[in-house]
Amino acid sequence: VIMKLFLDANVLIDFMSERLPHYLEAATIFTLAVEHKCTIAVSSLSMVTSNFICCDRCNMPLSDWKKKVNIMKSFVEVCPVDSEDIFLSCDSDWSDYEDNVQYEVAKRYSCDVIVTRNPRDFIKSDIPVLTPDEVIEIIDK
């Protein structure tokens, strides 16, 4: 069974911006997906956030960001954030609204694992939460 990974925004941004020291782990996850050893899902919110961070904050040319998105089209599922995710997150007791929205999207799209560099942000998740290194180790076995 191939694991369906939901990448938190920080892992997507690590990959898109080639942010060190986290780029290698993020790139390895994308390579595993290209090799059909896992599938990757990200929220539409994360895609928009990655554009803002990469292009506005890190001065990545928009054309470079778009090239990466075009490559990802063939192996990354972009999961829309819908009104249910927004309103369920408003009604929850999570301390971080954005993380709760990410969780709701991951749950709705039946992801097996949430991959993040900040597992404590998902302490209330009933979906397993792993760091990039942890998920790479599991898939490589």
Side-chain angles (χ1 to χ4, degrees), residues 8-26:
D8 189 20
N10 57 46
V11 179
L12 176 64
I13 293 166
D14 291 342
F15 175 72
M16 297 296 284
S17 69
E18 301 183 14
R19 181 164 56 184
L20 297 174
H22 309 291
Y23 173 67
L24 182 60
E25 292 85 8

PDB file of all heavy atoms in Angstrom, residues 8-26:
ATOM      1  N   ASP A   8       2.563  19.627   5.185  1.00  0.00           N
ATOM      2  CA  ASP A   8       2.273  20.918   5.793  1.00  0.00           C
ATOM      3  C   ASP A   8       2.981  22.000   4.967  1.00  0.00           C
ATOM      4  O   ASP A   8       3.950  21.730   4.239  1.00  0.00           O
ATOM      5  CB  ASP A   8       2.774  20.914   7.240  1.00  0.00           C
ATOM      6  CG  ASP A   8       2.345  22.129   8.041  1.00  0.00           C
ATOM      7  OD1 ASP A   8       1.374  22.807   7.650  1.00  0.00           O
ATOM      8  OD2 ASP A   8       2.981  22.403   9.077  1.00  0.00           O
ATOM      9  N   ALA A   9       2.527  23.221   5.104  1.00  0.00           N
ATOM     10  CA  ALA A   9       3.088  24.329   4.325  1.00  0.00           C
ATOM     11  C   ALA A   9       4.596  24.457   4.500  1.00  0.00           C
ATOM     12  O   ALA A   9       5.311  24.751   3.536  1.00  0.00           O
ATOM     13  CB  ALA A   9       2.395  25.638   4.703  1.00  0.00           C
ATOM     14  N   ASN A  10       5.114  24.214   5.713  1.00  0.00           N
ATOM     15  CA  ASN A  10       6.552  24.408   5.917  1.00  0.00           C
ATOM     16  C   ASN A  10       7.385  23.446   5.069  1.00  0.00           C
ATOM     17  O   ASN A  10       8.441  23.826   4.558  1.00  0.00           O
ATOM     18  CB  ASN A  10       6.939  24.354   7.403  1.00  0.00           C
ATOM     19  CG  ASN A  10       6.543  23.081   8.113  1.00  0.00           C
ATOM     20  OD1 ASN A  10       6.740  21.973   7.632  1.00  0.00           O
ATOM     21  ND2 ASN A  10       5.978  23.249   9.294  1.00  0.00           N
ATOM     22  N   VAL A  11       6.921  22.220   4.866  1.00  0.00           N
ATOM     23  CA  VAL A  11       7.662  21.251   4.057  1.00  0.00           C
ATOM     24  C   VAL A  11       7.589  21.638   2.582  1.00  0.00           C
ATOM     25  O   VAL A  11       8.582  21.573   1.852  1.00  0.00           O
ATOM     26  CB  VAL A  11       7.144  19.816   4.292  1.00  0.00           C
ATOM     27  CG1 VAL A  11       7.902  18.821   3.424  1.00  0.00           C
ATOM     28  CG2 VAL A  11       7.253  19.445   5.773  1.00  0.00           C
ATOM     29  N   LEU A  12       6.410  22.060   2.128  1.00  0.00           N
ATOM     30  CA  LEU A  12       6.268  22.527   0.748  1.00  0.00           C
ATOM     31  C   LEU A  12       7.174  23.734   0.493  1.00  0.00           C
ATOM     32  O   LEU A  12       7.879  23.785  -0.526  1.00  0.00           O
ATOM     33  CB  LEU A  12       4.810  22.896   0.459  1.00  0.00           C
ATOM     34  CG  LEU A  12       4.554  23.483  -0.934  1.00  0.00           C
ATOM     35  CD1 LEU A  12       4.870  22.479  -2.034  1.00  0.00           C
ATOM     36  CD2 LEU A  12       3.112  23.979  -1.036  1.00  0.00           C
ATOM     37  N   ILE A  13       7.197  24.671   1.416  1.00  0.00           N
ATOM     38  CA  ILE A  13       8.031  25.876   1.251  1.00  0.00           C
ATOM     39  C   ILE A  13       9.517  25.512   1.292  1.00  0.00           C
ATOM     40  O   ILE A  13      10.311  26.081   0.537  1.00  0.00           O
ATOM     41  CB  ILE A  13       7.659  26.947   2.297  1.00  0.00           C
ATOM     42  CG1 ILE A  13       6.239  27.460   2.015  1.00  0.00           C
ATOM     43  CG2 ILE A  13       8.672  28.090   2.296  1.00  0.00           C
ATOM     44  CD1 ILE A  13       5.631  28.254   3.150  1.00  0.00           C
ATOM     45  N   ASP A  14       9.892  24.559   2.139  1.00  0.00           N
ATOM     46  CA  ASP A  14      11.290  24.102   2.148  1.00  0.00           C
ATOM     47  C   ASP A  14      11.695  23.625   0.761  1.00  0.00           C
ATOM     48  O   ASP A  14      12.792  23.923   0.280  1.00  0.00           O
ATOM     49  CB  ASP A  14      11.491  22.953   3.139  1.00  0.00           C
ATOM     50  CG  ASP A  14      11.361  23.377   4.589  1.00  0.00           C
ATOM     51  OD1 ASP A  14      11.458  24.589   4.880  1.00  0.00           O
ATOM     52  OD2 ASP A  14      11.152  22.482   5.431  1.00  0.00           O
ATOM     53  N   PHE A  15      10.811  22.876   0.107  1.00  0.00           N
ATOM     54  CA  PHE A  15      11.096  22.367  -1.235  1.00  0.00           C
ATOM     55  C   PHE A  15      11.099  23.498  -2.270  1.00  0.00           C
ATOM     56  O   PHE A  15      12.049  23.636  -3.042  1.00  0.00           O
ATOM     57  CB  PHE A  15      10.075  21.296  -1.624  1.00  0.00           C
ATOM     58  CG  PHE A  15      10.237  20.830  -3.041  1.00  0.00           C
ATOM     59  CD1 PHE A  15      11.311  20.030  -3.401  1.00  0.00           C
ATOM     60  CD2 PHE A  15       9.334  21.208  -4.024  1.00  0.00           C
ATOM     61  CE1 PHE A  15      11.486  19.606  -4.717  1.00  0.00           C
ATOM     62  CE2 PHE A  15       9.496  20.797  -5.335  1.00  0.00           C
ATOM     63  CZ  PHE A  15      10.569  19.994  -5.685  1.00  0.00           C
ATOM     64  N   MET A  16      10.051  24.280  -2.279  1.00  0.00           N
ATOM     65  CA  MET A  16       9.896  25.315  -3.316  1.00  0.00           C
ATOM     66  C   MET A  16      11.013  26.361  -3.252  1.00  0.00           C
ATOM     67  O   MET A  16      11.511  26.803  -4.276  1.00  0.00           O
ATOM     68  CB  MET A  16       8.532  25.997  -3.191  1.00  0.00           C
ATOM     69  CG  MET A  16       7.347  25.072  -3.411  1.00  0.00           C
ATOM     70  SD  MET A  16       7.249  24.387  -5.070  1.00  0.00           S
ATOM     71  CE  MET A  16       6.643  25.816  -5.971  1.00  0.00           C
ATOM     72  N   SER A  17      11.391  26.750  -2.038  1.00  0.00           N
ATOM     73  CA  SER A  17      12.384  27.818  -1.879  1.00  0.00           C
ATOM     74  C   SER A  17      13.810  27.285  -1.750  1.00  0.00           C
ATOM     75  O   SER A  17      14.750  28.060  -1.659  1.00  0.00           O
ATOM     76  CB  SER A  17      12.055  28.656  -0.638  1.00  0.00           C
ATOM     77  OG  SER A  17      12.262  27.891   0.535  1.00  0.00           O
ATOM     78  N   GLU A  18      13.922  25.943  -1.705  1.00  0.00           N
ATOM     79  CA  GLU A  18      15.229  25.295  -1.483  1.00  0.00           C
ATOM     80  C   GLU A  18      15.860  25.813  -0.185  1.00  0.00           C
ATOM     81  O   GLU A  18      17.061  26.062  -0.102  1.00  0.00           O
ATOM     82  CB  GLU A  18      16.139  25.449  -2.706  1.00  0.00           C
ATOM     83  CG  GLU A  18      15.506  24.832  -3.947  1.00  0.00           C
ATOM     84  CD  GLU A  18      16.365  24.870  -5.192  1.00  0.00           C
ATOM     85  OE1 GLU A  18      17.585  25.128  -5.103  1.00  0.00           O
ATOM     86  OE2 GLU A  18      15.795  24.634  -6.280  1.00  0.00           O
ATOM     87  N   ARG A  19      14.997  25.945   0.821  1.00  0.00           N
ATOM     88  CA  ARG A  19      15.377  26.510   2.120  1.00  0.00           C
ATOM     89  C   ARG A  19      16.278  25.534   2.879  1.00  0.00           C
ATOM     90  O   ARG A  19      15.883  24.411   3.174  1.00  0.00           O
ATOM     91  CB  ARG A  19      14.097  26.822   2.907  1.00  0.00           C
ATOM     92  CG  ARG A  19      14.312  27.439   4.252  1.00  0.00           C
ATOM     93  CD  ARG A  19      13.063  28.075   4.819  1.00  0.00           C
ATOM     94  NE  ARG A  19      11.908  27.184   4.917  1.00  0.00           N
ATOM     95  CZ  ARG A  19      10.699  27.600   5.313  1.00  0.00           C
ATOM     96  NH1 ARG A  19      10.492  28.874   5.617  1.00  0.00           N
ATOM     97  NH2 ARG A  19       9.704  26.753   5.391  1.00  0.00           N
ATOM     98  N   LEU A  20      17.480  25.992   3.177  1.00  0.00           N
ATOM     99  CA  LEU A  20      18.433  25.183   3.937  1.00  0.00           C
ATOM    100  C   LEU A  20      18.224  25.438   5.434  1.00  0.00           C
ATOM    101  O   LEU A  20      17.852  26.543   5.806  1.00  0.00           O
ATOM    102  CB  LEU A  20      19.863  25.539   3.533  1.00  0.00           C
ATOM    103  CG  LEU A  20      20.207  25.251   2.066  1.00  0.00           C
ATOM    104  CD1 LEU A  20      21.596  25.766   1.726  1.00  0.00           C
ATOM    105  CD2 LEU A  20      20.100  23.770   1.762  1.00  0.00           C
ATOM    106  N   PRO A  21      18.428  24.443   6.280  1.00  0.00           N
ATOM    107  CA  PRO A  21      18.970  23.109   6.004  1.00  0.00           C
ATOM    108  C   PRO A  21      17.904  22.065   5.686  1.00  0.00           C
ATOM    109  O   PRO A  21      18.198  20.871   5.667  1.00  0.00           O
ATOM    110  CB  PRO A  21      19.667  22.765   7.322  1.00  0.00           C
ATOM    111  CG  PRO A  21      18.785  23.386   8.361  1.00  0.00           C
ATOM    112  CD  PRO A  21      18.267  24.671   7.726  1.00  0.00           C
ATOM    113  N   HIS A  22      16.674  22.465   5.413  1.00  0.00           N
ATOM    114  CA  HIS A  22      15.557  21.517   5.305  1.00  0.00           C
ATOM    115  C   HIS A  22      15.265  21.048   3.885  1.00  0.00           C
ATOM    116  O   HIS A  22      14.448  20.155   3.691  1.00  0.00           O
ATOM    117  CB  HIS A  22      14.294  22.146   5.904  1.00  0.00           C
ATOM    118  CG  HIS A  22      14.512  22.696   7.272  1.00  0.00           C
ATOM    119  ND1 HIS A  22      14.736  21.886   8.370  1.00  0.00           N
ATOM    120  CD2 HIS A  22      14.595  23.976   7.712  1.00  0.00           C
ATOM    121  CE1 HIS A  22      14.923  22.647   9.433  1.00  0.00           C
ATOM    122  NE2 HIS A  22      14.847  23.915   9.068  1.00  0.00           N
ATOM    123  N   TYR A  23      15.915  21.646   2.903  1.00  0.00           N
ATOM    124  CA  TYR A  23      15.611  21.333   1.501  1.00  0.00           C
ATOM    125  C   TYR A  23      15.832  19.863   1.163  1.00  0.00           C
ATOM    126  O   TYR A  23      15.002  19.249   0.480  1.00  0.00           O
ATOM    127  CB  TYR A  23      16.428  22.221   0.560  1.00  0.00           C
ATOM    128  CG  TYR A  23      16.284  21.831  -0.891  1.00  0.00           C
ATOM    129  CD1 TYR A  23      15.070  21.994  -1.552  1.00  0.00           C
ATOM    130  CD2 TYR A  23      17.341  21.273  -1.586  1.00  0.00           C
ATOM    131  CE1 TYR A  23      14.921  21.626  -2.872  1.00  0.00           C
ATOM    132  CE2 TYR A  23      17.199  20.902  -2.923  1.00  0.00           C
ATOM    133  CZ  TYR A  23      15.982  21.082  -3.560  1.00  0.00           C
ATOM    134  OH  TYR A  23      15.839  20.705  -4.863  1.00  0.00           O
ATOM    135  N   LEU A  24      16.925  19.273   1.622  1.00  0.00           N
ATOM    136  CA  LEU A  24      17.248  17.898   1.238  1.00  0.00           C
ATOM    137  C   LEU A  24      16.136  16.925   1.626  1.00  0.00           C
ATOM    138  O   LEU A  24      15.725  16.085   0.812  1.00  0.00           O
ATOM    139  CB  LEU A  24      18.577  17.457   1.854  1.00  0.00           C
ATOM    140  CG  LEU A  24      19.028  16.045   1.471  1.00  0.00           C
ATOM    141  CD1 LEU A  24      19.210  15.912  -0.042  1.00  0.00           C
ATOM    142  CD2 LEU A  24      20.319  15.686   2.186  1.00  0.00           C
ATOM    143  N   GLU A  25      15.623  17.034   2.846  1.00  0.00           N
ATOM    144  CA  GLU A  25      14.551  16.141   3.277  1.00  0.00           C
ATOM    145  C   GLU A  25      13.290  16.368   2.441  1.00  0.00           C
ATOM    146  O   GLU A  25      12.632  15.405   2.028  1.00  0.00           O
ATOM    147  CB  GLU A  25      14.226  16.346   4.762  1.00  0.00           C
ATOM    148  CG  GLU A  25      15.331  15.905   5.702  1.00  0.00           C
ATOM    149  CD  GLU A  25      16.399  16.964   5.931  1.00  0.00           C
ATOM    150  OE1 GLU A  25      16.235  18.127   5.488  1.00  0.00           O
ATOM    151  OE2 GLU A  25      17.421  16.631   6.562  1.00  0.00           O
ATOM    152  N   ALA A  26      12.947  17.620   2.207  1.00  0.00           N
ATOM    153  CA  ALA A  26      11.755  17.912   1.408  1.00  0.00           C
ATOM    154  C   ALA A  26      11.919  17.379  -0.012  1.00  0.00           C
ATOM    155  O   ALA A  26      11.009  16.741  -0.560  1.00  0.00           O
ATOM    156  CB  ALA A  26      11.490  19.422   1.395  1.00  0.00           C
TER     157      ALA A  26
END
